[in-house]
Amino acid sequence: NPTNASITISGDFTKPISYEIMTMLGQTVLTGKLNVSSEKIDLSPLPASPYFLRLGEQMIKIIKEGE
């Protein structure tokens, strides 16, 4: 699902979970921790491009579109 500003992560987190946004080449461009069951990650500083979101052990492809 393409986005141009932010993504919302929802889950049943019993403790804070780390996330990492990476380029298709594996370069980390954004990191943080999710502390609640639904939280937004701001992608607006990133250029339009496909990225990977690593959330714990899970890897999800996301697409940042131009504004």
Side-chain angles (χ1 to χ4, degrees):
N1 293 336
T3 184
N4 61 9
S6 66
I7 55 174
T8 302
I9 305 296
S10 299
D12 189 17
F13 309 133
T14 57
K15 60 182 180 180
I17 187 167
S18 296
Y19 71 84
E20 184 177 7
I21 305 284
M22 297 174 291
T23 67
M24 298 301 283
L25 298 175
Q27 178 185 17
T28 300
V29 293
L30 194 61
T31 62
K33 284 192 184 271
L34 302 177
N35 295 310
V36 294
S37 60
S38 182
E39 194 164 328
K40 286 188 178 186
I41 299 174
D42 182 18
L43 301 178
S44 60
L46 301 177
S49 183
Y51 294 94
F52 286 114
L53 165 64
R54 183 189 318 244
L55 188 59
E57 298 295 317
Q58 194 173 21
M59 190 80 86
I60 302 163
K61 184 177 178 180
I62 55 176
I63 298 173
K64 167 77 168 32
E65 292 185 330
E67 309 212 16

